[in-house]
mmCIF file with all atom_site columns, all heavy atoms in Angstrom:
data_model
loop_
_atom_site.group_PDB
_atom_site.id
_atom_site.type_symbol
_atom_site.label_atom_id
_atom_site.label_alt_id
_atom_site.label_comp_id
_atom_site.label_asym_id
_atom_site.label_entity_id
_atom_site.label_seq_id
_atom_site.pdbx_PDB_ins_code
_atom_site.Cartn_x
_atom_site.Cartn_y
_atom_site.Cartn_z
_atom_site.occupancy
_atom_site.B_iso_or_equiv
_atom_site.pdbx_formal_charge
_atom_site.auth_seq_id
_atom_site.auth_comp_id
_atom_site.auth_asym_id
_atom_site.auth_atom_id
_atom_site.pdbx_PDB_model_num
ATOM 1   N N   . SER A 1 1  ? -84.015 40.181 8.708  1.00 0.00 ? 480 SER A N   1
ATOM 2   C CA  . SER A 1 1  ? -82.603 39.856 8.547  1.00 0.00 ? 480 SER A CA  1
ATOM 3   C C   . SER A 1 1  ? -81.864 40.205 9.830  1.00 0.00 ? 480 SER A C   1
ATOM 4   O O   . SER A 1 1  ? -82.230 41.152 10.534 1.00 0.00 ? 480 SER A O   1
ATOM 5   C CB  . SER A 1 1  ? -82.000 40.643 7.375  1.00 0.00 ? 480 SER A CB  1
ATOM 6   O OG  . SER A 1 1  ? -80.595 40.518 7.342  1.00 0.00 ? 480 SER A OG  1
ATOM 7   N N   . ASP A 1 2  ? -80.790 39.460 10.105 1.00 0.00 ? 481 ASP A N   1
ATOM 8   C CA  . ASP A 1 2  ? -79.933 39.758 11.247 1.00 0.00 ? 481 ASP A CA  1
ATOM 9   C C   . ASP A 1 2  ? -78.563 40.257 10.801 1.00 0.00 ? 481 ASP A C   1
ATOM 10  O O   . ASP A 1 2  ? -77.611 40.267 11.587 1.00 0.00 ? 481 ASP A O   1
ATOM 11  C CB  . ASP A 1 2  ? -79.769 38.517 12.130 1.00 0.00 ? 481 ASP A CB  1
ATOM 12  C CG  . ASP A 1 2  ? -81.043 38.173 12.885 1.00 0.00 ? 481 ASP A CG  1
ATOM 13  O OD1 . ASP A 1 2  ? -81.711 39.111 13.353 1.00 0.00 ? 481 ASP A OD1 1
ATOM 14  O OD2 . ASP A 1 2  ? -81.360 36.982 12.998 1.00 0.00 ? 481 ASP A OD2 1
ATOM 15  N N   . ASN A 1 3  ? -78.463 40.662 9.529  1.00 0.00 ? 482 ASN A N   1
ATOM 16  C CA  . ASN A 1 3  ? -77.217 41.204 9.006  1.00 0.00 ? 482 ASN A CA  1
ATOM 17  C C   . ASN A 1 3  ? -77.230 42.729 9.095  1.00 0.00 ? 482 ASN A C   1
ATOM 18  O O   . ASN A 1 3  ? -78.286 43.361 8.975  1.00 0.00 ? 482 ASN A O   1
ATOM 19  C CB  . ASN A 1 3  ? -76.998 40.778 7.558  1.00 0.00 ? 482 ASN A CB  1
ATOM 20  C CG  . ASN A 1 3  ? -76.772 39.280 7.437  1.00 0.00 ? 482 ASN A CG  1
ATOM 21  O OD1 . ASN A 1 3  ? -76.223 38.656 8.343  1.00 0.00 ? 482 ASN A OD1 1
ATOM 22  N ND2 . ASN A 1 3  ? -77.197 38.701 6.328  1.00 0.00 ? 482 ASN A ND2 1
ATOM 23  N N   . LEU A 1 4  ? -76.056 43.329 9.272  1.00 0.00 ? 483 LEU A N   1
ATOM 24  C CA  . LEU A 1 4  ? -75.966 44.758 9.536  1.00 0.00 ? 483 LEU A CA  1
ATOM 25  C C   . LEU A 1 4  ? -74.879 45.406 8.694  1.00 0.00 ? 483 LEU A C   1
ATOM 26  O O   . LEU A 1 4  ? -73.759 44.906 8.616  1.00 0.00 ? 483 LEU A O   1
ATOM 27  C CB  . LEU A 1 4  ? -75.653 44.982 11.021 1.00 0.00 ? 483 LEU A CB  1
ATOM 28  C CG  . LEU A 1 4  ? -75.317 46.416 11.467 1.00 0.00 ? 483 LEU A CG  1
ATOM 29  C CD1 . LEU A 1 4  ? -76.518 47.328 11.294 1.00 0.00 ? 483 LEU A CD1 1
ATOM 30  C CD2 . LEU A 1 4  ? -74.826 46.409 12.917 1.00 0.00 ? 483 LEU A CD2 1
ATOM 31  N N   . LEU A 1 5  ? -75.216 46.541 8.068  1.00 0.00 ? 484 LEU A N   1
ATOM 32  C CA  . LEU A 1 5  ? -74.240 47.413 7.421  1.00 0.00 ? 484 LEU A CA  1
ATOM 33  C C   . LEU A 1 5  ? -74.176 48.727 8.186  1.00 0.00 ? 484 LEU A C   1
ATOM 34  O O   . LEU A 1 5  ? -75.207 49.353 8.453  1.00 0.00 ? 484 LEU A O   1
ATOM 35  C CB  . LEU A 1 5  ? -74.640 47.716 5.972  1.00 0.00 ? 484 LEU A CB  1
ATOM 36  C CG  . LEU A 1 5  ? -73.867 48.876 5.310  1.00 0.00 ? 484 LEU A CG  1
ATOM 37  C CD1 . LEU A 1 5  ? -72.425 48.477 5.010  1.00 0.00 ? 484 LEU A CD1 1
ATOM 38  C CD2 . LEU A 1 5  ? -74.559 49.359 4.034  1.00 0.00 ? 484 LEU A CD2 1
ATOM 39  N N   . VAL A 1 6  ? -72.972 49.158 8.523  1.00 0.00 ? 485 VAL A N   1
ATOM 40  C CA  . VAL A 1 6  ? -72.741 50.507 9.046  1.00 0.00 ? 485 VAL A CA  1
ATOM 41  C C   . VAL A 1 6  ? -71.948 51.247 7.979  1.00 0.00 ? 485 VAL A C   1
ATOM 42  O O   . VAL A 1 6  ? -70.808 50.869 7.664  1.00 0.00 ? 485 VAL A O   1
ATOM 43  C CB  . VAL A 1 6  ? -71.970 50.495 10.375 1.00 0.00 ? 485 VAL A CB  1
ATOM 44  C CG1 . VAL A 1 6  ? -71.751 51.931 10.864 1.00 0.00 ? 485 VAL A CG1 1
ATOM 45  C CG2 . VAL A 1 6  ? -72.716 49.677 11.423 1.00 0.00 ? 485 VAL A CG2 1
ATOM 46  N N   . TYR A 1 7  ? -72.550 52.291 7.404  1.00 0.00 ? 486 TYR A N   1
ATOM 47  C CA  . TYR A 1 7  ? -71.955 53.002 6.274  1.00 0.00 ? 486 TYR A CA  1
ATOM 48  C C   . TYR A 1 7  ? -71.615 54.431 6.673  1.00 0.00 ? 486 TYR A C   1
ATOM 49  O O   . TYR A 1 7  ? -72.449 55.145 7.244  1.00 0.00 ? 486 TYR A O   1
ATOM 50  C CB  . TYR A 1 7  ? -72.917 53.029 5.086  1.00 0.00 ? 486 TYR A CB  1
ATOM 51  C CG  . TYR A 1 7  ? -72.338 53.717 3.856  1.00 0.00 ? 486 TYR A CG  1
ATOM 52  C CD1 . TYR A 1 7  ? -71.579 53.009 2.942  1.00 0.00 ? 486 TYR A CD1 1
ATOM 53  C CD2 . TYR A 1 7  ? -72.553 55.079 3.633  1.00 0.00 ? 486 TYR A CD2 1
ATOM 54  C CE1 . TYR A 1 7  ? -71.030 53.634 1.831  1.00 0.00 ? 486 TYR A CE1 1
ATOM 55  C CE2 . TYR A 1 7  ? -72.002 55.713 2.520  1.00 0.00 ? 486 TYR A CE2 1
ATOM 56  C CZ  . TYR A 1 7  ? -71.249 54.981 1.627  1.00 0.00 ? 486 TYR A CZ  1
ATOM 57  O OH  . TYR A 1 7  ? -70.699 55.601 0.521  1.00 0.00 ? 486 TYR A OH  1
ATOM 58  N N   . PHE A 1 8  ? -70.391 54.862 6.348  1.00 0.00 ? 487 PHE A N   1
ATOM 59  C CA  . PHE A 1 8  ? -69.924 56.207 6.659  1.00 0.00 ? 487 PHE A CA  1
ATOM 60  C C   . PHE A 1 8  ? -69.913 57.050 5.380  1.00 0.00 ? 487 PHE A C   1
ATOM 61  O O   . PHE A 1 8  ? -69.276 56.682 4.389  1.00 0.00 ? 487 PHE A O   1
ATOM 62  C CB  . PHE A 1 8  ? -68.522 56.155 7.271  1.00 0.00 ? 487 PHE A CB  1
ATOM 63  C CG  . PHE A 1 8  ? -68.484 55.515 8.632  1.00 0.00 ? 487 PHE A CG  1
ATOM 64  C CD1 . PHE A 1 8  ? -68.435 54.124 8.764  1.00 0.00 ? 487 PHE A CD1 1
ATOM 65  C CD2 . PHE A 1 8  ? -68.521 56.288 9.783  1.00 0.00 ? 487 PHE A CD2 1
ATOM 66  C CE1 . PHE A 1 8  ? -68.410 53.522 10.009 1.00 0.00 ? 487 PHE A CE1 1
ATOM 67  C CE2 . PHE A 1 8  ? -68.504 55.696 11.039 1.00 0.00 ? 487 PHE A CE2 1
ATOM 68  C CZ  . PHE A 1 8  ? -68.449 54.317 11.157 1.00 0.00 ? 487 PHE A CZ  1
ATOM 69  N N   . GLN A 1 9  ? -70.601 58.180 5.430  1.00 0.00 ? 488 GLN A N   1
ATOM 70  C CA  . GLN A 1 9  ? -70.706 59.053 4.267  1.00 0.00 ? 488 GLN A CA  1
ATOM 71  C C   . GLN A 1 9  ? -69.387 59.772 3.996  1.00 0.00 ? 488 GLN A C   1
ATOM 72  O O   . GLN A 1 9  ? -68.621 60.075 4.908  1.00 0.00 ? 488 GLN A O   1
ATOM 73  C CB  . GLN A 1 9  ? -71.801 60.100 4.493  1.00 0.00 ? 488 GLN A CB  1
ATOM 74  C CG  . GLN A 1 9  ? -72.042 61.021 3.293  1.00 0.00 ? 488 GLN A CG  1
ATOM 75  C CD  . GLN A 1 9  ? -72.956 62.194 3.625  1.00 0.00 ? 488 GLN A CD  1
ATOM 76  O OE1 . GLN A 1 9  ? -73.225 62.474 4.787  1.00 0.00 ? 488 GLN A OE1 1
ATOM 77  N NE2 . GLN A 1 9  ? -73.431 62.885 2.608  1.00 0.00 ? 488 GLN A NE2 1
ATOM 78  N N   . GLY A 1 10 ? -69.119 60.061 2.726  1.00 0.00 ? 489 GLY A N   1
ATOM 79  C CA  . GLY A 1 10 ? -67.948 60.818 2.344  1.00 0.00 ? 489 GLY A CA  1
ATOM 80  C C   . GLY A 1 10 ? -68.237 62.303 2.200  1.00 0.00 ? 489 GLY A C   1
ATOM 81  O O   . GLY A 1 10 ? -69.362 62.761 2.371  1.00 0.00 ? 489 GLY A O   1
ATOM 82  N N   . GLY A 1 11 ? -67.191 63.066 1.873  1.00 0.00 ? 490 GLY A N   1
ATOM 83  C CA  . GLY A 1 11 ? -67.310 64.509 1.708  1.00 0.00 ? 490 GLY A CA  1
ATOM 84  C C   . GLY A 1 11 ? -65.951 65.170 1.845  1.00 0.00 ? 490 GLY A C   1
ATOM 85  O O   . GLY A 1 11 ? -64.920 64.496 1.933  1.00 0.00 ? 490 GLY A O   1
ATOM 86  N N   . GLY A 1 12 ? -65.925 66.491 1.880  1.00 0.00 ? 491 GLY A N   1
ATOM 87  C CA  . GLY A 1 12 ? -64.668 67.229 1.937  1.00 0.00 ? 491 GLY A CA  1
ATOM 88  C C   . GLY A 1 12 ? -64.079 67.286 3.333  1.00 0.00 ? 491 GLY A C   1
ATOM 89  O O   . GLY A 1 12 ? -64.627 66.737 4.288  1.00 0.00 ? 491 GLY A O   1
ATOM 90  N N   . ALA A 1 13 ? -62.953 67.980 3.453  1.00 0.00 ? 492 ALA A N   1
ATOM 91  C CA  . ALA A 1 13 ? -62.279 68.111 4.747  1.00 0.00 ? 492 ALA A CA  1
ATOM 92  C C   . ALA A 1 13 ? -61.604 69.476 4.824  1.00 0.00 ? 492 ALA A C   1
ATOM 93  O O   . ALA A 1 13 ? -61.333 70.118 3.811  1.00 0.00 ? 492 ALA A O   1
ATOM 94  C CB  . ALA A 1 13 ? -61.240 67.003 4.927  1.00 0.00 ? 492 ALA A CB  1
ATOM 95  N N   . CYS A 1 14 ? -61.349 69.929 6.052  1.00 0.00 ? 493 CYS A N   1
ATOM 96  C CA  . CYS A 1 14 ? -60.605 71.173 6.249  1.00 0.00 ? 493 CYS A CA  1
ATOM 97  C C   . CYS A 1 14 ? -59.767 71.062 7.506  1.00 0.00 ? 493 CYS A C   1
ATOM 98  O O   . CYS A 1 14 ? -60.076 70.265 8.397  1.00 0.00 ? 493 CYS A O   1
ATOM 99  C CB  . CYS A 1 14 ? -61.550 72.372 6.309  1.00 0.00 ? 493 CYS A CB  1
ATOM 100 S SG  . CYS A 1 14 ? -62.469 72.584 7.852  1.00 0.00 ? 493 CYS A SG  1
ATOM 101 N N   . TRP A 1 15 ? -58.700 71.874 7.577  1.00 0.00 ? 494 TRP A N   1
ATOM 102 C CA  . TRP A 1 15 ? -57.779 71.726 8.709  1.00 0.00 ? 494 TRP A CA  1
ATOM 103 C C   . TRP A 1 15 ? -57.052 73.018 9.076  1.00 0.00 ? 494 TRP A C   1
ATOM 104 O O   . TRP A 1 15 ? -56.198 73.021 9.945  1.00 0.00 ? 494 TRP A O   1
ATOM 105 C CB  . TRP A 1 15 ? -56.741 70.640 8.402  1.00 0.00 ? 494 TRP A CB  1
ATOM 106 C CG  . TRP A 1 15 ? -56.027 70.866 7.092  1.00 0.00 ? 494 TRP A CG  1
ATOM 107 C CD1 . TRP A 1 15 ? -54.877 71.583 6.892  1.00 0.00 ? 494 TRP A CD1 1
ATOM 108 C CD2 . TRP A 1 15 ? -56.431 70.391 5.804  1.00 0.00 ? 494 TRP A CD2 1
ATOM 109 N NE1 . TRP A 1 15 ? -54.534 71.586 5.562  1.00 0.00 ? 494 TRP A NE1 1
ATOM 110 C CE2 . TRP A 1 15 ? -55.473 70.857 4.865  1.00 0.00 ? 494 TRP A CE2 1
ATOM 111 C CE3 . TRP A 1 15 ? -57.493 69.614 5.345  1.00 0.00 ? 494 TRP A CE3 1
ATOM 112 C CZ2 . TRP A 1 15 ? -55.555 70.580 3.500  1.00 0.00 ? 494 TRP A CZ2 1
ATOM 113 C CZ3 . TRP A 1 15 ? -57.584 69.345 3.991  1.00 0.00 ? 494 TRP A CZ3 1
ATOM 114 C CH2 . TRP A 1 15 ? -56.616 69.811 3.082  1.00 0.00 ? 494 TRP A CH2 1
ATOM 115 N N   . ASP A 1 16 ? -57.389 74.131 8.437  1.00 0.00 ? 495 ASP A N   1
ATOM 116 C CA  . ASP A 1 16 ? -56.742 75.398 8.783  1.00 0.00 ? 495 ASP A CA  1
ATOM 117 C C   . ASP A 1 16 ? -57.648 76.554 8.369  1.00 0.00 ? 495 ASP A C   1
ATOM 118 O O   . ASP A 1 16 ? -58.766 76.334 7.886  1.00 0.00 ? 495 ASP A O   1
ATOM 119 C CB  . ASP A 1 16 ? -55.354 75.513 8.131  1.00 0.00 ? 495 ASP A CB  1
ATOM 120 C CG  . ASP A 1 16 ? -55.394 75.353 6.611  1.00 0.00 ? 495 ASP A CG  1
ATOM 121 O OD1 . ASP A 1 16 ? -56.475 75.544 5.998  1.00 0.00 ? 495 ASP A OD1 1
ATOM 122 O OD2 . ASP A 1 16 ? -54.341 75.057 6.015  1.00 0.00 ? 495 ASP A OD2 1
ATOM 123 N N   . GLY A 1 17 ? -57.158 77.782 8.552  1.00 0.00 ? 496 GLY A N   1
ATOM 124 C CA  . GLY A 1 17 ? -57.982 78.941 8.245  1.00 0.00 ? 496 GLY A CA  1
ATOM 125 C C   . GLY A 1 17 ? -58.350 79.048 6.792  1.00 0.00 ? 496 GLY A C   1
ATOM 126 O O   . GLY A 1 17 ? -59.459 79.499 6.455  1.00 0.00 ? 496 GLY A O   1
ATOM 127 N N   . PHE A 1 18 ? -57.444 78.628 5.911  1.00 0.00 ? 497 PHE A N   1
ATOM 128 C CA  . PHE A 1 18 ? -57.741 78.709 4.480  1.00 0.00 ? 497 PHE A CA  1
ATOM 129 C C   . PHE A 1 18 ? -58.798 77.690 4.069  1.00 0.00 ? 497 PHE A C   1
ATOM 130 O O   . PHE A 1 18 ? -59.800 78.036 3.461  1.00 0.00 ? 497 PHE A O   1
ATOM 131 C CB  . PHE A 1 18 ? -56.458 78.498 3.665  1.00 0.00 ? 497 PHE A CB  1
ATOM 132 C CG  . PHE A 1 18 ? -56.684 78.600 2.180  1.00 0.00 ? 497 PHE A CG  1
ATOM 133 C CD1 . PHE A 1 18 ? -56.708 79.839 1.556  1.00 0.00 ? 497 PHE A CD1 1
ATOM 134 C CD2 . PHE A 1 18 ? -56.875 77.455 1.419  1.00 0.00 ? 497 PHE A CD2 1
ATOM 135 C CE1 . PHE A 1 18 ? -56.930 79.933 0.186  1.00 0.00 ? 497 PHE A CE1 1
ATOM 136 C CE2 . PHE A 1 18 ? -57.094 77.539 0.049  1.00 0.00 ? 497 PHE A CE2 1
ATOM 137 C CZ  . PHE A 1 18 ? -57.118 78.784 -0.576 1.00 0.00 ? 497 PHE A CZ  1
ATOM 138 N N   . THR A 1 19 ? -58.558 76.406 4.420  1.00 0.00 ? 498 THR A N   1
ATOM 139 C CA  . THR A 1 19 ? -59.499 75.373 3.976  1.00 0.00 ? 498 THR A CA  1
ATOM 140 C C   . THR A 1 19 ? -60.841 75.489 4.684  1.00 0.00 ? 498 THR A C   1
ATOM 141 O O   . THR A 1 19 ? -61.899 75.374 4.059  1.00 0.00 ? 498 THR A O   1
ATOM 142 C CB  . THR A 1 19 ? -58.904 73.971 4.193  1.00 0.00 ? 498 THR A CB  1
ATOM 143 O OG1 . THR A 1 19 ? -58.487 73.833 5.565  1.00 0.00 ? 498 THR A OG1 1
ATOM 144 C CG2 . THR A 1 19 ? -57.711 73.745 3.278  1.00 0.00 ? 498 THR A CG2 1
ATOM 145 N N   . CYS A 1 20 ? -60.834 75.729 6.000  1.00 0.00 ? 499 CYS A N   1
ATOM 146 C CA  . CYS A 1 20 ? -62.100 75.856 6.725  1.00 0.00 ? 499 CYS A CA  1
ATOM 147 C C   . CYS A 1 20 ? -62.802 77.167 6.392  1.00 0.00 ? 499 CYS A C   1
ATOM 148 O O   . CYS A 1 20 ? -64.027 77.244 6.362  1.00 0.00 ? 499 CYS A O   1
ATOM 149 C CB  . CYS A 1 20 ? -61.880 75.748 8.232  1.00 0.00 ? 499 CYS A CB  1
ATOM 150 S SG  . CYS A 1 20 ? -61.333 74.111 8.781  1.00 0.00 ? 499 CYS A SG  1
ATOM 151 N N   . GLY A 1 21 ? -62.018 78.212 6.141  1.00 0.00 ? 500 GLY A N   1
ATOM 152 C CA  . GLY A 1 21 ? -62.617 79.477 5.737  1.00 0.00 ? 500 GLY A CA  1
ATOM 153 C C   . GLY A 1 21 ? -63.242 79.395 4.357  1.00 0.00 ? 500 GLY A C   1
ATOM 154 O O   . GLY A 1 21 ? -64.276 80.010 4.094  1.00 0.00 ? 500 GLY A O   1
ATOM 155 N N   . SER A 1 22 ? -62.623 78.614 3.472  1.00 0.00 ? 501 SER A N   1
ATOM 156 C CA  . SER A 1 22 ? -63.158 78.455 2.115  1.00 0.00 ? 501 SER A CA  1
ATOM 157 C C   . SER A 1 22 ? -64.535 77.822 2.131  1.00 0.00 ? 501 SER A C   1
ATOM 158 O O   . SER A 1 22 ? -65.486 78.336 1.552  1.00 0.00 ? 501 SER A O   1
ATOM 159 C CB  . SER A 1 22 ? -62.199 77.607 1.272  1.00 0.00 ? 501 SER A CB  1
ATOM 160 O OG  . SER A 1 22 ? -60.958 78.252 1.111  1.00 0.00 ? 501 SER A OG  1
ATOM 161 N N   . ILE A 1 23 ? -64.644 76.691 2.825  1.00 0.00 ? 502 ILE A N   1
ATOM 162 C CA  . ILE A 1 23 ? -65.945 76.027 2.855  1.00 0.00 ? 502 ILE A CA  1
ATOM 163 C C   . ILE A 1 23 ? -66.884 76.686 3.855  1.00 0.00 ? 502 ILE A C   1
ATOM 164 O O   . ILE A 1 23 ? -68.098 76.522 3.774  1.00 0.00 ? 502 ILE A O   1
ATOM 165 C CB  . ILE A 1 23 ? -65.809 74.519 3.160  1.00 0.00 ? 502 ILE A CB  1
ATOM 166 C CG1 . ILE A 1 23 ? -65.171 74.276 4.521  1.00 0.00 ? 502 ILE A CG1 1
ATOM 167 C CG2 . ILE A 1 23 ? -65.026 73.822 2.075  1.00 0.00 ? 502 ILE A CG2 1
ATOM 168 C CD1 . ILE A 1 23 ? -65.093 72.807 4.895  1.00 0.00 ? 502 ILE A CD1 1
ATOM 169 N N   . GLY A 1 24 ? -66.311 77.491 4.772  1.00 0.00 ? 503 GLY A N   1
ATOM 170 C CA  . GLY A 1 24 ? -67.147 78.200 5.734  1.00 0.00 ? 503 GLY A CA  1
ATOM 171 C C   . GLY A 1 24 ? -68.067 79.202 5.088  1.00 0.00 ? 503 GLY A C   1
ATOM 172 O O   . GLY A 1 24 ? -69.103 79.584 5.648  1.00 0.00 ? 503 GLY A O   1
#
């Protein structure tokens, strides 16, 4: 095949000491 899918995986996010520290 010459067709292409580029797929981006999902998941959580963090942006400060609380959120990044929580998942850290």
Side-chain angles (χ1 to χ4, degrees):
S480 170
D481 289 320
N482 293 329
L483 171 65
L484 166 72
V485 180
Y486 182 87
F487 293 83
Q488 183 190 13
C493 76
W494 53 89
D495 56 21
F497 181 83
T498 54
C499 293
S501 296
I502 61 177

